[in-house]
Amino acid sequence: EGERMPRSIWKGSISFGLVQIPVALYPAEEPNELHFTQLDKRNMPPIRYERVNRETGEPVSWDDIVRGYPYEKGEYVV
């Protein structure tokens, strides 16, 4: 599969006396991310992501979820 050329953001020209040089501005970065779906290899249905407390096995609502940075095993800064 061939690569696509990025689309220019701006096109114009620079003039030096009687000489005109065409110029085009392109984005410096083009995202090339792949997103995969996890599948059950037995019959290929997508796998769900569930918000479950690892200790109790109980579901957790979005309102009860916070982000934490681990600084020691089992210890977090919220």
Side-chain angles (χ1 to χ4, degrees), residues 27-49:
E29 179 180 52
E30 183 176 334
N32 289 323
E33 296 178 13
L34 293 175
H35 298 282
F36 292 97
T37 300
Q38 291 183 337
L39 305 171
D40 184 332
K41 68 180 181 179
R42 297 172 293 178
N43 56 354
M44 296 307 198
I47 303 298
R48 289 190 300 194
Y49 287 94

mmCIF file of all heavy atoms in Angstrom, residues 27-49:
data_model
loop_
_atom_site.group_PDB
_atom_site.id
_atom_site.type_symbol
_atom_site.label_atom_id
_atom_site.label_comp_id
_atom_site.label_asym_id
_atom_site.label_seq_id
_atom_site.Cartn_x
_atom_site.Cartn_y
_atom_site.Cartn_z
ATOM 1 N N PRO A 27 1.950 20.126 7.382
ATOM 2 C CA PRO A 27 2.037 19.856 8.811
ATOM 3 C C PRO A 27 3.350 19.121 9.109
ATOM 4 O O PRO A 27 3.814 18.300 8.316
ATOM 5 C CB PRO A 27 0.824 18.986 9.115
ATOM 6 C CG PRO A 27 0.337 18.488 7.810
ATOM 7 C CD PRO A 27 0.830 19.432 6.761
ATOM 8 N N ALA A 28 3.946 19.403 10.267
ATOM 9 C CA ALA A 28 5.221 18.803 10.636
ATOM 10 C C ALA A 28 5.053 17.370 11.122
ATOM 11 O O ALA A 28 6.005 16.609 11.147
ATOM 12 C CB ALA A 28 5.890 19.642 11.715
ATOM 13 N N GLU A 29 3.852 17.001 11.496
ATOM 14 C CA GLU A 29 3.640 15.672 12.051
ATOM 15 C C GLU A 29 2.329 15.129 11.523
ATOM 16 O O GLU A 29 1.344 15.842 11.414
ATOM 17 C CB GLU A 29 3.595 15.760 13.570
ATOM 18 C CG GLU A 29 3.357 14.455 14.245
ATOM 19 C CD GLU A 29 3.328 14.620 15.749
ATOM 20 O OE1 GLU A 29 2.586 15.474 16.240
ATOM 21 O OE2 GLU A 29 4.048 13.874 16.405
ATOM 22 N N GLU A 30 2.331 13.856 11.207
ATOM 23 C CA GLU A 30 1.102 13.195 10.784
ATOM 24 C C GLU A 30 0.882 12.001 11.700
ATOM 25 O O GLU A 30 1.748 11.138 11.810
ATOM 26 C CB GLU A 30 1.218 12.723 9.333
ATOM 27 C CG GLU A 30 -0.039 12.095 8.822
ATOM 28 C CD GLU A 30 0.064 11.731 7.348
ATOM 29 O OE1 GLU A 30 0.837 12.355 6.631
ATOM 30 O OE2 GLU A 30 -0.638 10.803 6.952
ATOM 31 N N PRO A 31 -0.248 11.944 12.419
ATOM 32 C CA PRO A 31 -0.463 10.819 13.333
ATOM 33 C C PRO A 31 -0.627 9.513 12.564
ATOM 34 O O PRO A 31 -1.327 9.455 11.565
ATOM 35 C CB PRO A 31 -1.742 11.199 14.073
ATOM 36 C CG PRO A 31 -2.431 12.175 13.192
ATOM 37 C CD PRO A 31 -1.357 12.869 12.396
ATOM 38 N N ASN A 32 0.063 8.491 13.018
ATOM 39 C CA ASN A 32 -0.039 7.159 12.413
ATOM 40 C C ASN A 32 -0.300 6.158 13.519
ATOM 41 O O ASN A 32 0.475 5.227 13.721
ATOM 42 C CB ASN A 32 1.245 6.803 11.659
ATOM 43 C CG ASN A 32 1.415 7.613 10.400
ATOM 44 O OD1 ASN A 32 0.448 7.902 9.721
ATOM 45 N ND2 ASN A 32 2.633 7.990 10.089
ATOM 46 N N GLU A 33 -1.381 6.339 14.247
ATOM 47 C CA GLU A 33 -1.690 5.463 15.362
ATOM 48 C C GLU A 33 -2.596 4.326 14.909
ATOM 49 O O GLU A 33 -3.479 4.510 14.083
ATOM 50 C CB GLU A 33 -2.398 6.246 16.471
ATOM 51 C CG GLU A 33 -1.547 7.323 17.086
ATOM 52 C CD GLU A 33 -2.300 8.112 18.134
ATOM 53 O OE1 GLU A 33 -3.383 7.666 18.554
ATOM 54 O OE2 GLU A 33 -1.808 9.170 18.511
ATOM 55 N N LEU A 34 -2.334 3.157 15.452
ATOM 56 C CA LEU A 34 -3.198 2.016 15.215
ATOM 57 C C LEU A 34 -3.977 1.733 16.488
ATOM 58 O O LEU A 34 -3.427 1.799 17.585
ATOM 59 C CB LEU A 34 -2.364 0.775 14.876
ATOM 60 C CG LEU A 34 -1.614 0.796 13.564
ATOM 61 C CD1 LEU A 34 -0.750 -0.452 13.442
ATOM 62 C CD2 LEU A 34 -2.580 0.878 12.402
ATOM 63 N N HIS A 35 -5.238 1.443 16.358
ATOM 64 C CA HIS A 35 -6.076 1.093 17.495
ATOM 65 C C HIS A 35 -6.596 -0.318 17.260
ATOM 66 O O HIS A 35 -7.212 -0.592 16.233
ATOM 67 C CB HIS A 35 -7.241 2.075 17.650
ATOM 68 C CG HIS A 35 -6.794 3.461 17.916
ATOM 69 N ND1 HIS A 35 -6.375 3.886 19.153
ATOM 70 C CD2 HIS A 35 -6.662 4.534 17.096
ATOM 71 C CE1 HIS A 35 -6.026 5.153 19.092
ATOM 72 N NE2 HIS A 35 -6.183 5.564 17.847
ATOM 73 N N PHE A 36 -6.321 -1.191 18.210
ATOM 74 C CA PHE A 36 -6.748 -2.564 18.091
ATOM 75 C C PHE A 36 -7.906 -2.839 19.036
ATOM 76 O O PHE A 36 -8.009 -2.235 20.094
ATOM 77 C CB PHE A 36 -5.601 -3.515 18.447
ATOM 78 C CG PHE A 36 -4.476 -3.483 17.451
ATOM 79 C CD1 PHE A 36 -3.356 -2.713 17.686
ATOM 80 C CD2 PHE A 36 -4.556 -4.215 16.292
ATOM 81 C CE1 PHE A 36 -2.325 -2.678 16.777
ATOM 82 C CE2 PHE A 36 -3.523 -4.194 15.371
ATOM 83 C CZ PHE A 36 -2.404 -3.421 15.613
ATOM 84 N N THR A 37 -8.759 -3.770 18.668
ATOM 85 C CA THR A 37 -9.847 -4.229 19.511
ATOM 86 C C THR A 37 -9.464 -5.592 20.054
ATOM 87 O O THR A 37 -9.028 -6.459 19.298
ATOM 88 C CB THR A 37 -11.151 -4.346 18.692
ATOM 89 O OG1 THR A 37 -11.471 -3.055 18.161
ATOM 90 C CG2 THR A 37 -12.300 -4.838 19.549
ATOM 91 N N GLN A 38 -9.591 -5.779 21.362
ATOM 92 C CA GLN A 38 -9.305 -7.084 21.937
ATOM 93 C C GLN A 38 -10.460 -8.027 21.633
ATOM 94 O O GLN A 38 -11.623 -7.672 21.806
ATOM 95 C CB GLN A 38 -9.100 -6.973 23.442
ATOM 96 C CG GLN A 38 -7.835 -6.250 23.812
ATOM 97 C CD GLN A 38 -7.621 -6.225 25.306
ATOM 98 O OE1 GLN A 38 -8.554 -6.358 26.084
ATOM 99 N NE2 GLN A 38 -6.374 -6.046 25.711
ATOM 100 N N LEU A 39 -10.116 -9.235 21.171
ATOM 101 C CA LEU A 39 -11.118 -10.213 20.767
ATOM 102 C C LEU A 39 -10.898 -11.525 21.508
ATOM 103 O O LEU A 39 -9.772 -11.872 21.861
ATOM 104 C CB LEU A 39 -11.015 -10.491 19.261
ATOM 105 C CG LEU A 39 -11.092 -9.294 18.332
ATOM 106 C CD1 LEU A 39 -10.754 -9.708 16.920
ATOM 107 C CD2 LEU A 39 -12.466 -8.650 18.403
ATOM 108 N N ASP A 40 -11.978 -12.261 21.727
ATOM 109 C CA ASP A 40 -11.888 -13.613 22.270
ATOM 110 C C ASP A 40 -11.537 -14.523 21.103
ATOM 111 O O ASP A 40 -12.291 -14.639 20.139
ATOM 112 C CB ASP A 40 -13.228 -14.014 22.886
ATOM 113 C CG ASP A 40 -13.193 -15.363 23.563
ATOM 114 O OD1 ASP A 40 -12.384 -16.227 23.152
ATOM 115 O OD2 ASP A 40 -13.981 -15.566 24.508
ATOM 116 N N LYS A 41 -10.359 -15.167 21.144
ATOM 117 C CA LYS A 41 -9.897 -15.924 19.993
ATOM 118 C C LYS A 41 -10.746 -17.158 19.690
ATOM 119 O O LYS A 41 -10.666 -17.709 18.604
ATOM 120 C CB LYS A 41 -8.436 -16.334 20.172
ATOM 121 C CG LYS A 41 -8.179 -17.352 21.257
ATOM 122 C CD LYS A 41 -6.699 -17.677 21.329
ATOM 123 C CE LYS A 41 -6.425 -18.715 22.406
ATOM 124 N NZ LYS A 41 -5.000 -19.027 22.456
ATOM 125 N N ARG A 42 -11.585 -17.579 20.629
ATOM 126 C CA ARG A 42 -12.409 -18.768 20.400
ATOM 127 C C ARG A 42 -13.488 -18.537 19.358
ATOM 128 O O ARG A 42 -13.739 -19.385 18.516
ATOM 129 C CB ARG A 42 -13.024 -19.250 21.711
ATOM 130 C CG ARG A 42 -11.953 -19.697 22.712
ATOM 131 C CD ARG A 42 -12.549 -19.985 24.042
ATOM 132 N NE ARG A 42 -13.048 -18.731 24.624
ATOM 133 C CZ ARG A 42 -13.661 -18.658 25.788
ATOM 134 N NH1 ARG A 42 -13.886 -19.745 26.495
ATOM 135 N NH2 ARG A 42 -14.052 -17.497 26.256
ATOM 136 N N ASN A 43 -14.172 -17.371 19.408
ATOM 137 C CA ASN A 43 -15.230 -17.109 18.423
ATOM 138 C C ASN A 43 -15.266 -15.655 17.965
ATOM 139 O O ASN A 43 -16.203 -15.231 17.320
ATOM 140 C CB ASN A 43 -16.598 -17.544 18.955
ATOM 141 C CG ASN A 43 -16.943 -16.894 20.272
ATOM 142 O OD1 ASN A 43 -16.128 -16.193 20.861
ATOM 143 N ND2 ASN A 43 -18.153 -17.110 20.740
ATOM 144 N N MET A 44 -14.238 -14.863 18.309
ATOM 145 C CA MET A 44 -13.964 -13.507 17.824
ATOM 146 C C MET A 44 -14.899 -12.370 18.248
ATOM 147 O O MET A 44 -14.915 -11.341 17.615
ATOM 148 C CB MET A 44 -13.858 -13.486 16.291
ATOM 149 C CG MET A 44 -12.713 -14.296 15.770
ATOM 150 S SD MET A 44 -11.206 -13.779 16.572
ATOM 151 C CE MET A 44 -10.008 -14.431 15.501
ATOM 152 N N PRO A 45 -15.686 -12.480 19.332
ATOM 153 C CA PRO A 45 -16.443 -11.299 19.756
ATOM 154 C C PRO A 45 -15.519 -10.342 20.498
ATOM 155 O O PRO A 45 -14.535 -10.760 21.117
ATOM 156 C CB PRO A 45 -17.510 -11.866 20.693
ATOM 157 C CG PRO A 45 -16.884 -13.085 21.262
ATOM 158 C CD PRO A 45 -16.022 -13.646 20.157
ATOM 159 N N PRO A 46 -15.797 -9.023 20.449
ATOM 160 C CA PRO A 46 -14.992 -8.054 21.196
ATOM 161 C C PRO A 46 -15.111 -8.288 22.696
ATOM 162 O O PRO A 46 -16.132 -8.761 23.194
ATOM 163 C CB PRO A 46 -15.599 -6.700 20.815
ATOM 164 C CG PRO A 46 -16.333 -6.942 19.549
ATOM 165 C CD PRO A 46 -16.791 -8.364 19.601
ATOM 166 N N ILE A 47 -14.039 -7.950 23.427
ATOM 167 C CA ILE A 47 -13.988 -8.091 24.874
ATOM 168 C C ILE A 47 -14.392 -6.765 25.512
ATOM 169 O O ILE A 47 -13.951 -5.704 25.090
ATOM 170 C CB ILE A 47 -12.555 -8.466 25.327
ATOM 171 C CG1 ILE A 47 -12.079 -9.743 24.639
ATOM 172 C CG2 ILE A 47 -12.456 -8.572 26.834
ATOM 173 C CD1 ILE A 47 -12.901 -10.952 24.951
ATOM 174 N N ARG A 48 -15.218 -6.812 26.561
ATOM 175 C CA ARG A 48 -15.647 -5.603 27.272
ATOM 176 C C ARG A 48 -14.596 -5.169 28.284
ATOM 177 O O ARG A 48 -13.870 -5.979 28.824
ATOM 178 C CB ARG A 48 -16.933 -5.857 28.058
ATOM 179 C CG ARG A 48 -18.147 -6.028 27.244
ATOM 180 C CD ARG A 48 -19.353 -6.013 28.141
ATOM 181 N NE ARG A 48 -19.251 -7.109 29.126
ATOM 182 C CZ ARG A 48 -20.265 -7.501 29.855
ATOM 183 N NH1 ARG A 48 -21.424 -6.907 29.748
ATOM 184 N NH2 ARG A 48 -20.132 -8.487 30.708
ATOM 185 N N TYR A 49 -14.562 -3.876 28.563
ATOM 186 C CA TYR A 49 -13.767 -3.343 29.663
ATOM 187 C C TYR A 49 -14.755 -3.001 30.769
ATOM 188 O O TYR A 49 -15.709 -2.262 30.554
ATOM 189 C CB TYR A 49 -13.027 -2.061 29.248
ATOM 190 C CG TYR A 49 -11.873 -2.328 28.336
ATOM 191 C CD1 TYR A 49 -12.017 -2.267 26.962
ATOM 192 C CD2 TYR A 49 -10.636 -2.649 28.853
ATOM 193 C CE1 TYR A 49 -10.956 -2.513 26.125
ATOM 194 C CE2 TYR A 49 -9.569 -2.895 28.020
ATOM 195 C CZ TYR A 49 -9.731 -2.825 26.657
ATOM 196 O OH TYR A 49 -8.674 -3.077 25.826
#
